Amino acid sequence: MTVKKLEKAAFDKWVSACITSQRVFGVQAKEDRFVFAPLANAADLRLDYDVTILPPKKYFQPPRETLLKFDRNEGFESVFDNQPFVLFGVHPYDMVAISQTDKLFSQEHCDTHYVNRREKATIVACDVQNASKDVFAGCMGTATVNDGFDILITKIDNDYLVDIRSEKGQALAETIKDAEDADDISLKLRKLVWADNAELLQKHKLNVRPDVLPKLLGRSYEHPVWKEKSERCYSCGSCNLVCPTCYCFDVRDDVEWNLQKGERYRVWDGCLLAEFAVVAGKHNFRANRADRYRHRYYRKGKYVPEKIGEVACVGCGRCITACTANIANPVEVYNKLVDEGK
Amino acid sequence: MSKLKVAFFDFACCEGCQLQVYNLEEEIIDLLELVEPVEWREAMSDQSDDYDVAIIEGSITRIEDEQRLKAIREKAQVLIALGACATTGGVNNLKNNFDMQDVKECVYGKDANMPHLDTYPTKAVNEVVKVDYMIPGCPINIKEFSYIVRCLALGKEPKIPDYAVCVECKMKENVCRFEYGEICLGPITRAGCDAKCPSSGMWCFGCRGFVDNPNVNAAKDVMAEYGKTHDDLRGKMLLFGSKQEFE
Amino acid sequence: MCKCDSNKDIYLPLPATLGKVQPMTNLESFFSCQLDSGKELGHMPGQFVEVSIPGIGEAPISVSSSPTRKGSFEMVIRKVGNVSQSLHGLNAGDKIFIRGPFGTSFPVDDAMKGKDIIFVCGGIGIVPVRSAIQYVLDNRDDYGRVIILFGAKTPSDRLFVEELEKWREDKNVTLLETVDHRDESWSGPEGVITTLLPLVKIDKDNTVVVICGPPIMYKFVIINLLEAKLKEDQIYLSLERNMKCGVGKCGHCQINNIYVCQDGPVFKFSDIKDIEEAL
Amino acid sequence: MTKKFNISVNHVTRVEGHGNIRLRASDGKVEHVEWQVPEAPRFFEAMVRGRSFEDIQTIVSRICGICSVTHSLAAIKGIEDAMGIKVSKQTDKLRILCHYGEQVESHSLHVGYLVAPDLLGQKSVIPLIESHPDVVKTVIRLHRLGNIWMEIIGGRMTHPITLKPGGFTAIPSEQKLLELKKAMEDAIPDVKILIEVLLSLVDKFPAFDRDTEYIALNHPDYYTFYHGDIASTDTDEKVPVHEFERVANEYVVPQSTAKWCKWHRDSYAVGALARFNQNAEKLMPMAAETAKQFGLTKGACNPYLNNVAQVVECVQVVEHGLQLIDELLTTGLKPEPVKVEPRAGEGVGCVEAPRGILFHRYEFDEKGLCTKANICIPTGQNHANIQKDFEALAPQIIDRPQDEIRLLLEMLVRSYDPCISCSTHFLDVEFV
Ligand SMILES: Cc1cc2nc3c(=O)[nH]c(=O)nc-3n(C[C@H](O)[C@H](O)[C@H](O)COP(=O)(O)OP(=O)(O)OC[C@H]3O[C@@H](n4cnc5c(N)ncnc54)[C@H](O)[C@@H]3O)c2cc1C
Ligand code: SF4
Ligand code: SF4
Ligand code: SF4
């Protein structure tokens, strides 16, 4: 729709205005890292962040989420969270991940718990200003993003370009309507930022085009890398939990003290966890660490792509950082498959 | 529905896990709607032999404890081991790193051999009698305790996690202790505490015991990358007592 | 992003009432059930429902009766864990909660039409298959020969004993049974289910085989069938995995790239033969 | 009444840990009265040997669930003393604040859950829920205050996480401190209710005075739980905590797995009443007013009044706690990463547990591994005094019904708020 250009002061004023009128979550510092958290002051917003510990998926699919309430005699009732909110500072790779999850949750049986939250969200994306130590979005084509968000912010020198793309974005940008439109030079500079980011966000270099991954994996099922790497795998699930495209969950019931009323909730789960594929009789369909370890790479690189046509790794690098055993680097693993496939 | 008759018994421990039950605060009243404590020395004066559920706190460190525990097991339909001391031996296991005579002399000097000061290497409850349910942790997580009590009242099999503390730690979005060059036992420790320690800036020292199949070899293998040695890891793992897991 | 009704909830179970509840073996009980809405379940043979007991949990359970039998639907549940155990404690008239039906079904209306049908059932595997058997028998003229092979561990593990007797007497059906371990109550054959296959004359071009049983059964039955020159697309089987949502979201039932809850539980063998984790 | 009788109470209830009472009487005379401690000994001083200074707090916290903050702080102070570590003002204040939370939690648990049933004629707090629901709910609210207090600062209710040699692994946010402040202010009416209730019941305490030596920390400027020197009501001498062995004089007796203590007399007492007798004039206004309401004055020597002193202290720590929070909020909270370089040394840590003065002594080698430890616990210091009280009280009440004798003896034990489980481990004694 339109691209506005704001100076730092005007930008902060706008953020403050958003905070007073809406529920806003934005990126902030937590010790030496960054997290999305409720935003109280414009000054706390850190759009210069490198990467957040958890991706913004936590707002669409919270770690623990009540699905239903029940009364043991009367039955179940759905619980939906319909409160609108604004997410400030979503990086392009995370935006791509959100759009993927949108597809998966709305495909076939539509998950209204997810979809309702998603539809109530206004997403203010922002181009990366500082690359994190493990990011490789540049290799995955996700260093920049074209759609999915309501507003895209790009910092050019000391100014902010505010690219408004939807009605929700328009509504949020109400308070800045008298700001000037971005000039051509700024727009050109923005293109440069995009081009640069595609290069800069390659802290690890993938030696294969992402769209070739399904084929590559197609012939690597018995590759020794799975066993080799997984010997050091704790099955701790950190790589699943921090991943913006992982969304598996477990469903549990709990009752109140009266044993009458209670709730059914879902919690994040992960295919790396030992019990993920256990059925009655304790039979485990993925009993070996190697099987679980492999499944994750296949899911990202083959299974999801076969379902929605996109590779389900956006190159955020979070799993690389989170894995205390240093074995969760997709680039390293996929490159190994390329090298040894030759 | 008739209430579950519950009896609490304590052995060598700090009684902090029983204290967690007090820490239910208002919910104690709800708890008492479901269970009828018939013996609970720390809270009440009655004593009774008629109970369905025996909740055992503390480790077994003397022959006489062992006999008392066996008698309790005979009377109880369900026996629950409460807290680290009861489920794994807890800190009391540290004693087992030494010779018992040395331990006694260290504390009681020339009086060490007085009969009432006798002791033997720490045992967890399940090393003496059959345990039906374990509620791990030092101290226990009162939410987990409540959940298990409600499950028993409902006739449902309670489930405690068999995944690592990292799962809950990640959900809390903590900065990982390894990023500070510390050894955290989170990757091999059984979750269920809500990652209390890492959430307060402290490494996990494994008070809930390890997951069913901890990858200790991986842990050893990884140490050097963080500038640590096997001994550093061993020291951490021994704190809440699982020598056998390390070797 | 999605056109669906934002108040609809794929996780919301609907009330239903148990009709008949009857123990069948030490572990399995039979349940008939009716939706409180008065509507038919609307399933096809091979599909499953998610059964809920509030506070206890939810479990996927196959519908064991055919949609041709109106009014109620039937399930057989093995006591293995929380939900199944507590279902066993319920009585006629008690409430349970149902989602579904979900998943794929046996191709009773297409691939199976006009063909000889061989049903190969091991143990509790007869539960979902019974729905297809009933369907076929209720539309008997649409199919060729109907052959039912059933193997149980011991005679006391046999399910649907009365129905088995009925099928045995039905001239339009061939029923062959075996048990792994015989006792004095059993005069029939002893041996694993594959020992029954050579007793059947298979018209290799005009037969569809439906298989359901414990994981290790599939491999051996299929080898035998392929040796009998049956083609891979003439074989259908029903698989089981851990399942939390039943609607392709939770990820638990994934077998490599397929979801048992959506792409299955009924699969054509040719579709999954190359899937490493399937069998 | 029979001429001869025995009273034998195994495992006194509603106390932490195991203690027995033995009384033998004949012809209206007490022949023998004894306080026994059969608790399984736990050997902490032996267990910490070879452990890194980093782990000591975590281990010794497990001596006692009810005073885990106190044990943690004593250990930390001992380690800091041994390694020459100075902490910031902020750390000091936060520690004191955390410690106050434990006083409230422990005192309210003791007075409300363990002692109140005696005064209200019930066997435990459970029937009290029916008979005196308002009292119970008030106690629960105060107890919860103590707990969230410790949780906000220590990271957890029982066995604090954040307290470490050198400082804190994590500090509360200002918002959390404000929450705590609000909770404390909201609790003042509850404290008042508790005072009212106890005021109406004080006459249930037997009029039993026995002059004894009272020992507690003393600080010239304020009512202290954390800083200061050891002081006794028997002498003007202030003993530096470093010399605590000179005060405690531990010895082993056959009826106890815990060691006993004495200084100027056969026994001495520690705890809330001892602190009051040592520091009463330094109470803050509301706390001083509370003491006045009860008529509690310096020099009180009825052991049952320890419970009254505990209530006075609840008021004191809330009052002073509010002041500390305001000071912290005024200066603002800064994270202060702690990095401790271990060195060889020897040090003592001393703090006031809810039930009395507590000493920890440690020695470390140059790698920071513990080579020796000695822990001297308040309940241990009270055991001998309990015995002496028994000996004085029993003859006074021997002609009452046996049930009453038994109850009065049990109540006496309970009034000390004994933490028997933690009293059974000491080391390195001068045997007498
Ligand atoms: C498509 C399908 C159809 C089925 N049809 C039938 C049927 O007709 N009759 C019947 O008796 N059983 C059937 N099952 C199996 C049945 O779902 C499980 O036995 C049931 O989930 C156990 O639930 P529970 O609450 O009783 O046990 P739980 O207490 O949940 O579980 C016991 C153990 O089983 C594991 N488990 C969890 N979810 C599942 C799951 N979905 N399947 C298997 N194990 C699981 C748990 O992790 C645990 O280890 C079917 C399963 C599937 C996937
Ligand atoms: S984070 Fe690393 S160690 Fe943990 S499950 Fe993933 S690959 Fe394994
Ligand atoms: S801090 Fe510990 S528990 Fe948390 S993620 Fe890191 S290793 Fe796991
Ligand atoms: S983080 Fe580890 S040590 Fe801390 S409570 Fe949890 S299991 Fe225990």
Side-chain angles (χ1 to χ4, degrees):
Chain A
M1 293 182 185
T2 53
V3 183
K4 303 277 184 200
K5 181 172 165 179
L6 298 182
E7 287 175 351
K8 171 88 173 119
F11 181 78
D12 283 352
K13 219 170 123 200
W14 171 54
V15 175
S16 296
C18 293
I19 293 171
T20 47
S21 62
Q22 313 248 10
R23 196 158 64 115
V24 178
F25 301 100
V27 179
Q28 292 157 68
K30 173 166 183 174
E31 298 168 44
D32 304 335
R33 302 279 314 267
F34 296 94
V35 296
F36 280 94
L39 192 65
N41 298 302
D44 296 336
L45 183 67
R46 291 287 299 274
L47 294 183
D48 61 336
Y49 78 104
D50 53 0
V51 64
T52 52
I53 300 176
L54 285 180
K57 73 173 174 186
K58 66 179 182 177
Y59 293 112
F60 305 111
Q61 186 197 355
R64 184 195 191 282
E65 175 186 11
T66 304
L67 297 174
L68 304 159
K69 285 210 178 300
F70 58 76
D71 181 304
R72 308 235 310 141
N73 294 328
E74 280 154 32
F76 294 90
E77 200 183 303
S78 299
V79 177
F80 293 117
D81 178 1
N82 284 326
Q83 272 181 284
F85 65 96
V86 179
L87 258 191
F88 242 104
V90 174
H91 273 168
Y93 48 80
D94 278 338
M95 191 61 241
V96 173
I98 293 171
S99 300
Q100 279 185 11
T101 323
D102 290 351
K103 281 188 203 146
L104 291 159
F105 269 112
S106 58
Q107 223 174 35
E108 310 198 39
H109 299 275
C110 173
D111 186 311
T112 33
H113 297 271
Y114 176 93
V115 169
N116 281 356
R117 273 202 197 83
R118 179 65 183 88
E119 284 179 343
K120 290 289 177 317
T122 305
I123 297 187
V124 182
C126 104
D127 278 310
V128 179
Q129 296 174 27
N130 286 301
S132 72
K133 72 177 177 17
D134 286 322
V135 68
F136 56 99
C139 313
M140 307 309 288
T142 55
T144 60
V145 63
N146 287 321
D147 47 29
F149 50 83
D150 300 292
I151 292 179
L152 174 69
I153 293 167
T154 315
K155 189 164 185 246
I156 306 287
D157 299 328
N158 287 320
D159 298 329
Y160 291 86
L161 299 194
V162 179
D163 188 344
I164 301 156
R165 293 287 189 89
S166 71
E167 276 168 33
K168 271 195 278 184
Q170 193 79 54
L172 188 69
E174 271 299 278
T175 49
I176 50 168
K177 60 176 171 293
D178 42 76
E180 59 178 290
D181 284 355
D183 49 282
D184 282 353
I185 298 178
S186 302
L187 292 176
K188 277 200 186 114
L189 286 170
R190 184 168 74 157
K191 284 213 171 105
L192 279 182
V193 167
W194 289 343
D196 282 352
N197 275 355
E199 287 305 312
L200 289 171
L201 303 191
Q202 297 202 26
K203 293 297 169 81
H204 303 271
K205 284 223 187 304
L206 186 64
N207 301 333
V208 59
R209 282 211 334 267
D211 55 324
V212 187
L213 284 175
K215 222 175 102 202
L216 177 67
L217 287 164
R219 56 175 163 77
S220 306
Y221 202 75
E222 304 296 341
H223 197 283
V225 70
W226 311 123
K227 178 144 191 344
E228 226 169 79
K229 292 259 175 199
S230 67
E231 270 171 8
R232 275 177 55 159
C233 176
Y234 290 114
S235 303
C236 73
S238 295
C239 50
N240 288 134
L241 291 157
V242 300
C243 178
T245 68
C246 271
Y247 59 91
C248 289
F249 56 86
D250 188 13
V251 181
R252 301 175 195 162
D253 281 14
D254 200 3
V255 288
E256 295 171 12
W257 283 109
N258 57 27
L259 305 186
Q260 198 55 39
K261 292 178 190 299
E263 59 176 30
R264 177 165 292 169
Y265 60 96
R266 64 173 159 204
V267 286
W268 289 358
D269 206 337
C271 58
L272 269 290
L273 302 179
E275 282 189 307
F276 191 74
V278 173
V279 295
K282 298 262 175 269
H283 182 73
N284 191 344
F285 280 97
R286 258 178 241 119
N288 297 323
R289 286 182 209 280
D291 294 344
R292 298 194 291 271
Y293 181 82
R294 174 176 57 201
H295 185 74
R296 173 171 159 257
Y297 294 90
Y298 270 74
R299 200 173 144 99
K300 306 287 171 209
K302 187 169 190 288
Y303 306 153
V304 176
E306 283 168 359
K307 216 168 159 160
I308 61 167
E310 291 173 53
V311 170
C313 170
V314 294
C316 70
R318 288 185 180 95
C319 55
I320 307 176
T321 313
C323 178
T324 56
N326 293 327
I327 51 164
N329 186 340
V331 175
E332 208 180 294
V333 169
Y334 291 140
N335 282 350
K336 241 187 153 120
L337 304 180
V338 179
D339 293 348
E340 278 150 47
K342 274 177 193 155
Chain B
M1 203 180 60
S2 67
K3 292 186 186 179
L4 284 174
K5 289 202 184 112
V6 176
F8 285 87
F9 299 98
D10 41 51
F11 291 84
C13 65
C14 77
E15 299 188 17
C17 290
Q18 281 189 59
L19 185 64
Q20 295 307 301
V21 180
Y22 283 112
N23 291 351
L24 276 170
E25 320 290 8
E26 278 87 350
E27 287 180 56
I28 293 180
I29 297 168
D30 300 315
L31 171 74
L32 293 173
E33 293 289 313
L34 288 189
V35 306
E36 180 191 342
V38 295
E39 175 159 354
W40 184 2
R41 194 190 43 74
E42 202 186 303
M44 52 192 263
S45 297
D46 298 294
Q47 297 189 341
S48 166
D49 279 347
D50 175 25
Y51 41 83
D52 312 309
V53 182
I55 300 183
I56 310 291
E57 190 193 22
S59 316
I60 308 307
T61 61
R62 301 186 290 197
I63 284 287
E64 63 224 73
D65 294 347
E66 202 163 302
Q67 287 152 355
R68 180 168 158 241
L69 178 61
K70 283 179 180 154
I72 294 168
R73 174 72 265 191
E74 299 232 318
K75 287 179 211 138
Q77 283 168 37
V78 175
L79 186 140
I80 300 177
L82 187 73
C85 294
T87 52
T88 66
V91 279
N92 299 325
N93 271 337
L94 285 172
K95 193 176 79 178
N96 299 5
N97 300 334
F98 303 93
D99 171 68
M100 286 308 117
Q101 188 60 28
D102 165 53
V103 164
K104 281 194 292 182
E105 277 170 16
C106 171
V107 180
Y108 293 101
K110 68 171 165 47
D111 298 313
N113 289 330
M114 289 166 86
H116 68 297
L117 301 177
D118 207 19
T119 191
Y120 70 34
T122 303
K123 289 185 188 174
V125 172
N126 69 353
E127 293 176 68
V128 179
V129 294
K130 176 175 167 280
V131 170
D132 300 298
Y133 301 102
M134 305 250 205
I135 307 182
C138 185
I140 56 161
N141 176 351
I142 195 59
K143 287 202 202 112
E144 190 170 59
F145 172 85
S146 306
Y147 155 80
I148 289 173
V149 170
R150 289 195 296 260
C151 279
L152 294 182
L154 260 186
K156 174 176 168 180
E157 194 71 20
K159 197 160 164 26
I160 62 164
D162 182 25
Y163 46 78
V165 173
C166 295
V167 170
E168 290 169 348
C169 188
K170 283 285 163 278
M171 290 187 192
K172 288 273 180 89
E173 209 163 5
N174 295 322
V175 181
C176 178
R177 300 319 301 170
F178 279 91
E179 292 192 32
Y180 296 102
E182 294 168 4
I183 302 175
C184 175
L185 295 187
I188 51 176
T189 300
R190 186 183 300 280
C193 57
D194 269 332
K196 273 274 177 206
C197 298
S199 304
S200 288
M202 170 66 186
W203 60 79
C204 165
F205 46 86
C207 78
R208 291 180 51 90
F210 300 127
V211 292
D212 284 350
N213 186 14
N215 198 344
V216 176
N217 285 333
K220 289 185 189 169
D221 207 33
V222 167
M223 280 308 109
E225 278 161 47
Y226 295 91
K228 304 280 174 184
T229 64
H230 284 194
D231 269 353
D232 294 334
L233 175 69
R234 185 165 181 276
K236 298 264 185 246
M237 287 181 64
L238 283 187
L239 190 54
F240 268 72
S242 277
K243 250 199 293 256
Q244 62 285 12
E245 302 282 359
F246 183 85
E247 280 6 299
Chain C
M1 95 190 213
C2 162
K3 304 279 162 291
C4 74
D5 174 2
S6 65
N7 288 315
K8 219 183 114 195
D9 186 354
I10 46 173
Y11 303 116
L12 182 68
L14 300 175
T17 304
L18 292 176
K20 198 164 128 189
V21 177
Q22 198 172 50
M24 300 175 88
T25 69
N26 281 341
L27 283 178
E28 286 97 8
S29 280
F30 171 93
F31 299 81
S32 80
C33 182
Q34 207 164 9
L35 294 178
D36 287 0
S37 64
K39 290 202 190 113
E40 293 292 333
L41 181 63
H43 70 291
M44 285 301 284
Q47 285 193 294
F48 66 96
V49 286
E50 287 278 353
V51 180
S52 273
I53 302 190
I56 307 292
E58 194 171 43
I61 300 293
S62 308
V63 183
S64 191
S65 57
S66 163
T68 49
R69 320 259 165 120
K70 304 275 179 214
S72 62
F73 62 95
E74 295 166 0
M75 301 175 287
V76 172
I77 292 162
R78 173 176 284 186
K79 199 160 40 168
V80 295
N82 276 326
V83 176
S84 47
Q85 196 99 34
S86 65
L87 279 161
H88 277 241
L90 297 182
N91 300 307
D94 285 344
K95 238 170 220 10
I96 59 169
F97 296 85
I98 299 285
R99 287 193 295 136
F102 296 125
T104 55
S105 52
F106 298 113
V108 283
D109 285 344
D110 39 327
M112 285 162 72
K113 275 254 169 97
K115 301 282 166 49
D116 289 357
I117 316 288
I118 306 178
F119 296 103
V120 185
C121 320
I124 195 175
I126 195 171
V127 170
V129 175
R130 173 175 173 260
S131 173
I133 296 175
Q134 286 186 344
Y135 191 95
V136 166
L137 295 183
D138 289 347
N139 298 285
R140 187 64 191 86
D141 298 344
D142 295 349
Y143 306 89
R145 290 188 301 150
V146 173
I147 298 152
I148 304 171
L149 310 183
F150 178 50
K153 270 211 184 92
T154 71
S156 58
D157 291 322
R158 294 167 69 231
L159 296 169
F160 302 114
V161 180
E162 284 166 30
E163 220 158 341
L164 286 169
E165 292 318 315
K166 248 196 261 158
W167 295 339
R168 200 188 309 284
E169 271 147 38
D170 190 333
K171 287 190 301 299
N172 287 319
V173 179
T174 308
L175 171 72
L176 298 176
E177 275 195 84
T178 179
V179 297
D180 293 358
H181 306 287
R182 175 189 286 159
D183 63 20
E184 56 286 356
S185 74
W186 184 250
S187 55
E190 185 181 51
V192 293
I193 196 157
T194 38
T195 56
L196 297 176
L197 280 170
L199 308 177
V200 182
K201 214 175 132 279
I202 298 176
D203 176 355
K204 69 175 169 49
D205 300 316
N206 197 36
T207 297
V208 169
V209 183
V210 166
I211 315 174
C212 186
I216 66 154
M217 188 188 100
Y218 294 96
K219 241 210 222 122
F220 295 104
V221 171
I222 288 167
I223 292 173
N224 278 282
L225 293 174
L226 296 178
E227 277 170 1
K229 295 281 177 299
L230 233 63
K231 287 204 266 322
E232 286 158 351
D233 62 0
Q234 290 170 281
I235 303 170
Y236 289 81
L237 30 90
S238 174
L239 297 182
E240 196 189 306
R241 285 296 185 275
N242 185 333
M243 206 174 267
K244 297 293 176 190
C245 72
V247 287
K249 310 291 181 215
C250 78
H252 283 270
C253 72
Q254 218 179 346
I255 303 178
N256 299 108
N257 58 334
I258 56 174
Y259 282 81
V260 174
C261 65
Q262 283 194 300
D263 306 315
V266 175
F267 295 95
K268 201 196 289 183
F269 177 60
S270 52
D271 289 342
I272 57 165
K273 71 175 167 57
D274 294 327
I275 293 183
E276 293 87 349
E277 292 177 336
L279 292 177
Chain D
M1 210 210 290
T2 48
K3 289 205 144 185
K4 278 182 193 269
F5 67 90
N6 289 308
I7 289 181
S8 169
V9 181
N10 274 337
H11 298 177
V12 175
T13 56
R14 283 182 280 132
V15 297
E16 224 228 354
H18 301 86
N20 299 341
I21 300 171
R22 297 281 180 270
L23 182 142
R24 195 170 65 238
S26 162
D27 289 329
K29 283 223 169 61
V30 180
E31 288 186 341
H32 178 75
V33 60
E34 186 174 280
W35 167 236
Q36 301 180 337
V37 178
E39 180 82 12
R42 291 179 67 209
F43 304 101
F44 272 91
E45 294 95 333
M47 282 166 13
V48 295
R49 290 173 303 163
R51 303 296 317 188
S52 160
F53 74 98
E54 282 190 308
D55 296 335
I56 301 293
Q57 178 272 129
T58 308
I59 298 171
V60 299
S61 167
R62 271 73 187 171
I63 290 174
C64 174
I66 297 186
C67 34
S68 53
V69 170
T70 303
H71 278 288
S72 299
L73 287 175
I76 288 167
K77 283 180 77 180
I79 294 163
E80 287 170 350
D81 185 29
M83 302 194 176
I85 299 162
K86 292 263 170 305
V87 298
S88 69
K89 275 226 169 61
Q90 174 178 300
T91 291
D92 221 38
K93 283 182 182 163
L94 282 170
R95 281 182 184 168
I96 292 173
L97 200 53
C98 189
H99 195 205
Y100 281 174
E102 183 161 275
Q103 308 291 338
V104 170
E105 188 270 338
S106 179
H107 284 351
S108 60
L109 177 94
H110 183 242
V111 176
Y113 289 161
L114 309 182
V115 172
D118 288 332
L119 304 179
L120 296 166
Q122 296 285 12
K123 279 188 169 166
S124 80
V125 68
I126 294 165
L128 226 52
I129 296 171
E130 288 276 318
S131 64
H132 297 80
D134 293 342
V135 177
V136 175
K137 285 192 177 144
T138 306
V139 171
I140 288 177
R141 282 195 298 270
L142 278 175
H143 187 249
R144 192 186 38 223
L145 169 70
N147 270 328
I148 58 170
W149 192 332
M150 284 187 282
E151 188 165 33
I152 284 176
I153 300 167
R156 175 158 61 194
M157 302 176 190
T158 305
H159 300 317
I161 301 165
T162 59
L163 306 174
K164 283 275 126 179
F168 278 78
T169 61
I171 55 166
S173 62
E174 293 192 359
Q175 188 202 335
K176 281 278 169 200
L177 276 190
L178 286 169
E179 260 172 48
L180 175 56
K181 184 176 172 191
K182 168 123 199 333
M184 285 156 71
E185 285 164 349
D186 291 350
I188 290 175
D190 286 325
V191 180
K192 296 221 160 108
I193 297 176
L194 193 66
I195 293 171
E196 291 301 317
V197 172
L198 202 61
L199 272 173
S200 69
L201 295 170
V202 268
D203 57 347
K204 294 259 169 32
F205 290 127
F208 167 66
D209 283 347
R210 185 179 78 82
D211 188 34
T212 188
E213 180 173 11
Y214 285 98
I215 293 182
L217 271 183
N218 175 290
H219 193 282
D221 304 332
Y222 45 87
Y223 193 103
T224 182
F225 291 82
Y226 185 77
H227 291 299
D229 295 324
I230 309 168
S232 157
T233 46
D234 276 7
T235 164
D236 288 334
E237 182 192 0
K238 302 280 179 282
V239 180
V241 296
H242 242 271
E243 297 165 31
F244 78 84
E245 284 91 346
R246 192 151 71 76
V247 174
N249 300 302
E250 293 175 290
Y251 59 106
V252 178
V253 292
Q255 74 241 47
S256 167
T257 51
K259 290 175 189 163
W260 291 25
C261 296
K262 59 178 180 183
W263 193 15
H264 294 102
R265 316 185 190 193
D266 288 345
S267 71
Y268 65 81
V270 300
L273 191 57
R275 285 190 292 264
F276 178 87
N277 279 333
Q278 205 45 253
N279 297 300
E281 71 281 2
K282 289 163 274 182
L283 284 168
M284 296 194 57
M286 233 171 19
E289 178 58 33
T290 309
K292 219 162 119 199
Q293 274 177 287
F294 283 99
L296 188 71
T297 51
K298 241 179 146 160
C301 61
N302 178 346
Y304 293 92
L305 293 184
N306 193 43
N307 301 306
V308 173
Q310 287 178 320
V311 174
V312 173
E313 286 191 339
C314 282
V315 180
Q316 165 70 16
V317 298
V318 168
E319 229 176 337
H320 192 222
L322 284 168
Q323 189 182 319
L324 284 174
I325 292 182
D326 284 340
E327 287 171 25
L328 284 163
L329 289 171
T330 313
T331 46
L333 287 147
K334 296 170 281 304
E336 301 172 324
V338 286
K339 189 88 195 127
V340 173
E341 286 307 326
R343 71 171 207 213
E346 188 268 327
V348 171
C350 169
V351 283
E352 284 281 345
R355 41 202 62 70
I357 194 163
L358 166 71
F359 308 104
H360 283 213
R361 178 188 293 283
Y362 297 98
E363 286 173 30
F364 295 95
D365 68 12
E366 65 289 351
K367 282 197 233 127
L369 303 182
C370 179
T371 52
K372 208 169 176 193
N374 183 14
I375 297 168
C376 180
I377 275 149
T379 299
Q381 299 172 65
N382 275 332
H383 283 319
N385 212 58
I386 295 176
Q387 174 69 31
K388 293 291 158 207
D389 280 350
F390 271 12
E391 288 167 15
L393 177 66
Q396 289 180 25
I397 58 172
I398 200 67
D399 47 359
R400 303 202 194 172
Q402 281 189 40
D403 277 351
E404 199 180 322
I405 301 175
R406 173 198 303 261
L407 178 68
L408 287 176
L409 292 178
E410 284 193 50
M411 279 173 68
L412 180 80
V413 173
R414 260 177 231 127
S415 73
Y416 278 88
D417 189 8
C419 192
I420 300 165
S421 57
C422 59
S423 70
T424 59
H425 13 75
F426 305 62
L427 164 113
D428 232 26
V429 217
E430 303 275 312
F431 296 98
V432 282

